[in-house]
Amino acid sequence: MTSATATAPAPQGVVNPHAVGTSLPHQVLLLARRSIRGALSSPAGYMPGIVMPLMLLTINSSAMQRSTSIPGFPADRFLDFIIVITFMQAALFATSSAGLGLVRDIESGFLDRLALTPMRAGALVVAQISGAIVIAMGASLLYVTIGLVTGVDFHAGFLGVLALLGLAAWTALAFATIGAWIALRSGESEALQGIFPLLFASLFLSTLNMPRELIQADWFAAITRVNPVSYMIDGMRSLIITGWVPRMLLEDVLVLVVITAIGVSGCARALRRRMAKA
Amino acid sequence: MSTTFRAARAIAWRHLYKWISVPANFMPTFIFPLIFFTGFAGALGRVGEIPGFDYPANYTTWIFVFSLLQTCLFGGLATGFTIAGDFQSGFARRLMLAVADRNAILYGYMLSTFLRAALMSGIVTGVAFIAGLEMLGSVGEIVGMYLLSLSLSLIGTMWAAGVMFRARDPQLGPAMQIPMFIAIFLAPVYVPLALLSGWLHAVARVNPVSHIMGAGRGLLVGQPDDIGLALVSVAVLFALLAVWAITGVRSAERAGG
Amino acid sequence: MTTSENNGIEVRGLVKQFKKGPKAVDGIDLDVAPGEIYGFLGPNGAGKSTTVNMLVTLLPITAGRATVAGWDVATQGADVRKAIGAALQAVALDNFLTGREHLRLIASLQGITGSRADARATDLLHRVGLEEAADRKVGGYSGGMKRRLDLALALVHEPRVLFLDEPTTGLDPQSRTALWEEVRRLAREDGVTVFLTTQYLEEADVLADRVGIIDRGVIVAEGTPAELKAEIGAPTVEVVPTSDSDRAALPAVLAQFGECLAAAQPGAVAVRLRGGSDRASLVTIVRAIDDGGLKIDEIRQHEPTLDDVFLAKTGRSLEGAGDDEATEGAPGAPGSGSASAATADDRDAEPVA
Ligand SMILES: Nc1ncnc2c1ncn2[C@@H]1O[C@H](COP(=O)(O)OP(=O)(O)OP(=O)(O)O)[C@@H](O)[C@H]1O
Ligand SMILES: [Mg+2]
């Protein structure tokens, strides 16, 4: 979390903001490429984000294997059950890469400078979020491959894997908009780091480690019920261990729609306020 | 000796003060242990019912010991970030100039991290009681369990200090965190050693953290078992990491702060 | 041990070779007397900070010997640290503590606690003019305020030897003058020995009792500012003739007063006046020019500065570019003779040793 602070200067030279005449989608493309390059430029920043989940996945899928013998446990292998955590981690990583990327651009004045050019500041926000999603997708593809290699049986079939990747991308989008919102509002990496305990809590106080039916403690079951992350996990997980379960997918999509809507409108408001100040 | 102690106390005071007054320092060390404990204790209750899982108390009690150890160990890692931050801001030079005996800096961080871990252990214990913790051991056994877990805060601090006095850069945080992550998760965290299989069983059997965790769990329920092995593990880790940390201070001295 | 006789600095053959870097300090000798203000002057990268860092025990020395306040920096670091205070080139502060908290922390690290520490903090905050900002976090201080706090931290335990690495860089003129006053007071009243590096000639000139000039890790000149200036000789006189024909004739007239050089000013002719009892005055020179039937627009006498000393010793100007013409004149400066020749020999000899 402390790794990718805003000390490194943003690679501003990559894009000339005065490149007049480019269309809006083209601008976004240019800026997104820049944000991806920026995020990937320091391996110390993202390698732990890839390595740590894989390590914990390896250890925990072995350590918890015995819990599949609990009557009613929905999978034969704990790995199949828990691999969904990697997609969630990728989404959390999108929060930080979109947020920190924007914080850097705010601190370096790049965002303000963009506002004075034909490129729109909004394009930068969209680009940072898209960049974060592309990275999350790359990671998700890696995790699916690892799942296939280690014999995870994707119950929903090939289309199910595509749907899973789609949901993973959308989850990353939802989280990235929240990260961008906080970045635009505060302009500080501290605020962004402050929400990580919260994100972590939402991940751990969910149905991540046990399906809700098998949670003994009522208070904990109640927490998982109000925690939106549970629905994201259950939706993606159902495609892996069960097959097509319309209710779970629907709940997941609903949660994603709501969070994305909150994130996008938050970003729009915060950006307007920031531009009005500038 | 007493000037060294006074200096260490001043370093410790500043560390604790900074911990409380800077939210970015406070939040992770305060929130993460609670999240982990609540998450595991709340979700995994049924794991205690797996055939062959014989522990005299409930699952909350089982996972509580892991949470204590984790709180103590990771508290030391957080201190590593503080040390690295001092080097980055240049403040470490001021400390190196101001103390006659530079080891006092290390001792100070060990002292504050120990006190912080004691406080956090108390808070985790409070939450655990709400979640149904059962303490079956005698007062002496319970105290022993806390001393055992708190020793990990010193061990964690010495490890982290050894890394960061050498690296002097918070960017190298993962290099400091990952080995400790592995060390604690390659122990029988969720189920007893007997229920682990394959490579994990083989590794967990020789992992010193497993012995400490096992002894702590035994003491908590009044069935002290293999305490000797745990004490030897602590002693060996303590000795090795003391050398690691002190040579780390020397390395920072050589580099000129 | 606390007698002032022991407050000096003694350095013999000090060398610092960075592992993946240059030989930043290349065998220097220094003696600073107790209570003296010693100015260490040199261009960027000369080795000033490296020397200071070795003397304050932050950097281990590669070779040679140095004692500070009677203690060996290599083997008695703890004792050295008890005797000295230091404000380094880069301020060493914690942005999350206030100024007063800094002072109290450093005081307690030095074993000063309780009301004594409070009094000391208040006194020092007053002395560096930070009373109003005392209870604000240092992260919000300006660069100059941080520098002043850093200086206060160096003084907390009333050190007998004080090291200041470019203490006035980034200070406004008032703060700079105030700091000079404070340094003088410490040396005169409290008998503190001060080792101060600077890039400002003026600072070394007005503040230092003695000046050492370092270049590329080697001390090229040392002495009181007056001695150093005297060593390179008398002032130069620059004359701007009215016409080109007069310029051609001018050197012949001026040669009787000293040796002619290329002048800093375009179109001028310069002469370095011969020293000693037969040094010519401006009046004498003007009279001689008049007698020669030459017409001049301007005549100006130029007192030697420490920059001239540096120029004479190294062939380069201390105060950066813009003095290129003057540099050309340097080889013609014979006065630099003995001292610089000796150091040049040292420099050749050192890598072998
Ligand atoms: N830690 C280091 N590792 C390698 N080389 C170093 C290190 N510190 C300084 N140097 C080199 O040593 C030489 C002397 O540096 P030093 O900082 O002592 O110069 P200085 O006289 O203080 O210059 P300035 O006026 O710029 O502060 C320089 O060439 C510098 O690059
Ligand atoms: Mg310097």
Side-chain angles (χ1 to χ4, degrees):
Chain A
M1 281 170 297
T2 20
S3 51
T5 39
T7 43
Q12 299 176 1
V14 182
V15 173
N16 173 13
H18 295 277
V20 192
T22 46
S23 64
L24 189 62
H26 188 63
Q27 293 175 10
V28 172
L29 193 74
L30 280 176
L31 290 166
R33 221 163 40 203
R34 164 182 171 277
S35 92
I36 294 170
R37 226 174 295 173
L40 294 185
S41 63
S42 88
Y46 65 86
M47 277 318 282
I50 294 176
V51 173
M52 292 273 247
L54 283 181
M55 230 171 48
L56 279 178
L57 186 74
T58 315
I59 297 174
N60 278 354
S61 57
S62 175
M64 292 283 284
Q65 176 56 26
R66 281 296 166 100
S67 33
T68 56
S69 65
I70 297 171
F73 196 86
D76 295 336
R77 291 201 318 171
F78 197 77
L79 174 64
D80 299 25
F81 180 78
I82 200 67
I83 195 170
V84 70
I85 192 181
T86 53
F87 302 105
M88 291 307 301
Q89 290 267 15
L92 293 193
F93 186 68
T95 321
S96 72
S97 59
L100 286 177
L102 268 176
V103 165
R104 264 201 298 270
D105 287 342
I106 290 168
E107 282 178 346
S108 69
F110 187 64
L111 184 75
D112 289 340
R113 219 148 41 99
L114 266 193
L116 305 173
T117 70
M119 284 210 169
R120 285 197 235 153
L124 179 64
V125 178
V126 173
Q128 287 285 11
I129 293 174
S130 326
I133 294 172
V134 169
I135 295 169
M137 282 307 294
S140 299
L141 266 175
L142 173 73
Y143 297 140
V144 165
T145 313
I146 289 171
L148 286 171
V149 169
T150 54
V152 173
D153 177 12
F154 292 90
H155 276 73
F158 178 68
L159 280 180
V161 170
L162 291 186
L164 174 64
L165 287 174
L167 284 175
W170 196 353
T171 312
L173 166 67
F175 277 103
T177 59
I178 301 287
W181 177 22
I182 291 166
L184 287 169
R185 248 188 89 108
S186 69
E188 292 168 356
S189 55
E190 283 80 15
L192 212 54
Q193 284 174 13
I195 67 154
F196 280 108
L198 211 73
L199 293 178
F200 228 73
S202 66
L203 188 58
F204 269 81
L205 305 183
S206 72
T207 50
L208 177 68
N209 285 312
M210 197 55 66
R212 188 172 299 123
E213 309 80 61
L214 297 183
I215 291 174
Q216 229 170 13
D218 293 335
W219 57 271
F220 195 80
I223 292 178
T224 63
R225 209 166 283 120
V226 296
N227 180 357
V229 171
S230 295
Y231 301 97
M232 301 181 191
I233 288 173
D234 291 345
M236 287 193 278
R237 175 144 67 202
S238 68
L239 288 169
I240 306 170
I241 62 171
T242 319
W244 296 89
V245 187
R247 189 181 56 83
M248 287 192 162
L249 295 178
L250 198 68
E251 283 171 351
D252 185 2
V253 168
L254 265 177
V255 165
L256 289 174
V257 167
V258 171
I259 293 185
T260 313
I262 293 173
V264 168
S265 66
C267 280
R269 239 174 322 136
L271 183 65
R272 251 202 316 275
R273 188 153 343 135
R274 190 163 279 282
M275 290 297 104
K277 257 193 302 190
Chain B
M1 189 61 220
S2 84
T3 56
T4 298
F5 175 73
R6 265 206 299 262
R9 203 176 47 186
I11 297 271
W13 171 84
R14 175 237 175 198
H15 185 209
L16 289 176
Y17 176 77
K18 227 184 137 170
W19 174 56
I20 298 204
S21 60
V22 183
N25 291 342
F26 181 74
M27 287 302 276
T29 39
F30 186 81
I31 296 287
F32 281 116
L34 295 178
I35 294 175
F36 273 111
F37 173 72
T38 317
F40 288 145
L44 302 180
R46 280 287 171 88
V47 173
E49 297 169 8
I50 296 171
F53 195 119
D54 50 349
Y55 189 61
N58 60 17
Y59 194 77
T60 296
T61 310
W62 170 266
I63 207 73
F64 168 72
V65 176
F66 161 74
S67 279
L68 274 190
L69 298 189
Q70 192 192 31
T71 302
C72 292
L73 196 61
F74 288 12
L77 300 184
T79 300
F81 279 111
T82 306
I83 294 173
D86 284 348
F87 280 103
Q88 230 186 13
S89 72
F91 192 61
R93 293 180 147 224
R94 178 57 69 199
L95 300 179
M96 304 263 271
L97 275 174
V99 296
D101 175 4
R102 265 104 182 231
N103 289 344
I105 301 173
L106 172 67
Y107 304 151
Y109 278 122
M110 288 172 70
L111 176 62
S112 50
T113 311
F114 184 88
L115 294 175
R116 182 172 70 185
L119 179 68
M120 283 313 302
S121 297
I123 290 170
V124 171
T125 305
V127 173
F129 268 119
I130 298 173
L133 173 69
E134 300 169 301
M135 278 192 180
L136 308 180
S138 68
V139 174
E141 286 162 338
I142 302 295
V143 169
M145 182 214 55
Y146 278 111
L147 288 181
L148 211 50
S149 69
L150 284 173
S151 73
L152 280 198
S153 92
L154 298 179
I155 285 170
T157 310
M158 289 190 293
W159 160 255
V163 173
M164 283 314 182
F165 274 119
R166 285 174 171 83
R168 299 180 291 280
D169 180 0
Q171 295 267 356
L172 277 107
M176 167 186 82
Q177 291 168 302
I178 289 177
M180 287 297 116
F181 247 87
I182 295 180
I184 196 164
F185 278 101
L186 288 184
V189 171
Y190 310 104
V191 296
L193 185 63
L195 293 185
L196 294 179
S197 53
W199 65 273
L200 187 55
H201 183 266
V203 176
R205 230 165 48 109
V206 296
N207 183 356
V209 179
S210 304
H211 302 309
I212 300 168
M213 208 180 275
R217 281 172 174 151
L219 287 166
L220 184 59
V221 296
Q223 296 180 351
D225 209 17
D226 284 340
I227 303 295
L229 214 51
L231 289 180
V232 170
S233 302
V234 168
V236 169
L237 285 175
F238 203 95
L240 290 178
L241 290 173
V243 173
W244 169 250
I246 298 271
T247 51
V249 176
R250 294 288 92 78
S251 147
E253 268 186 323
R254 273 197 304 280
Chain C
M1 183 180 79
T2 42
T3 56
S4 60
E5 277 80 44
N6 226 347
N7 282 4
I9 302 170
E10 197 185 310
V11 174
R12 291 289 172 271
L14 189 65
V15 175
K16 179 68 199 184
Q17 167 78 63
F18 284 110
K19 247 188 227 112
K20 299 167 292 213
K23 198 174 231 178
V25 174
D26 198 355
I28 62 173
D29 298 331
L30 274 178
D31 285 288
V32 182
E36 188 176 36
I37 301 176
Y38 187 89
F40 207 39
L41 195 62
N44 289 137
K48 302 183 295 292
S49 298
T50 306
T51 305
V52 168
N53 288 343
M54 283 191 286
L55 294 180
V56 301
T57 75
L58 272 178
L59 266 185
I61 64 181
T62 307
R65 222 178 90 80
T67 59
V68 173
W71 306 106
D72 189 314
V73 296
T75 56
Q76 297 170 309
D79 295 304
V80 172
R81 287 193 285 280
K82 280 185 209 153
I84 64 165
L88 302 175
Q89 186 165 8
V91 296
L93 303 171
D94 181 345
N95 282 341
F96 292 98
L97 298 180
T98 68
R100 194 186 302 277
E101 284 162 359
H102 269 94
L103 285 160
R104 299 220 37 184
L105 172 66
I106 299 303
S108 55
L109 284 176
Q110 317 263 15
I112 309 166
T113 49
S115 56
R116 243 184 89 219
D118 285 336
R120 191 87 191 116
T122 307
D123 173 39
L124 283 169
L125 285 165
H126 170 74
R127 263 205 258 166
V128 298
L130 284 175
E131 291 128 312
E132 276 175 33
D135 297 306
R136 283 189 359 229
K137 292 212 187 301
V138 163
Y141 280 21
S142 74
M145 290 161 80
K146 286 183 180 172
R147 229 165 223 302
R148 272 141 56 196
L149 177 62
D150 208 44
L151 174 69
L153 293 180
L155 297 174
V156 166
H157 62 301
E158 301 179 336
R160 295 184 282 135
V161 185
L162 184 61
F163 290 88
L164 303 173
D165 196 355
E166 301 197 15
T168 56
T169 302
L171 292 190
D172 58 34
Q174 286 99 317
S175 306
R176 177 174 305 179
T177 319
L179 185 130
W180 288 353
E181 280 311 311
E182 179 66 20
V183 169
R184 271 200 203 100
R185 198 194 64 71
L186 285 165
R188 300 294 168 261
E189 290 175 21
D190 303 346
V192 175
T193 309
V194 181
F195 187 99
L196 156 130
T197 81
T198 183
Q199 298 190 41
Y200 300 116
L201 299 159
E202 187 202 354
E203 187 161 291
D205 216 343
V206 302
L207 195 56
D209 300 322
R210 233 150 35 87
V211 173
I213 299 181
I214 183 171
D215 182 43
R216 297 182 180 147
V218 178
I219 293 187
V220 293
E222 197 185 44
T224 66
E227 276 169 15
L228 286 173
K229 291 178 211 164
E231 193 187 328
I232 66 156
T236 50
V237 169
E238 277 193 20
V239 184
V240 182
T242 308
S243 66
D244 282 350
S245 56
D246 284 356
R247 179 162 50 241
L250 205 46
V253 176
L254 293 177
Q256 54 181 305
F257 303 109
E259 171 219 2
C260 287
L261 332 152
Q265 217 176 340
V269 176
V271 60
R272 167 163 294 142
L273 300 183
R274 234 187 320 275
S277 53
D278 58 339
R279 181 204 283 187
S281 71
L282 271 187
V283 179
T284 322
I285 297 169
V286 171
R287 208 170 281 146
I289 292 171
D290 214 29
D291 290 349
L294 303 171
K295 285 207 160 36
I296 57 168
D297 282 345
E298 206 182 317
I299 180 164
R300 185 182 293 164
Q301 183 163 335
H302 176 67
E303 291 295 334
T305 64
L306 287 176
D307 194 33
D308 296 322
V309 177
F310 186 77
L311 183 59
K313 302 288 183 183
T314 67
R316 285 176 297 120
S317 173
L318 185 55
E319 297 205 312
D323 285 312
D324 283 344
E325 283 148 308
T327 312
E328 285 164 21
S336 52
S338 54
S340 80
T343 45
D345 286 346
D346 283 351
R347 209 189 297 188
D348 286 341
E350 206 56 49
V352 187

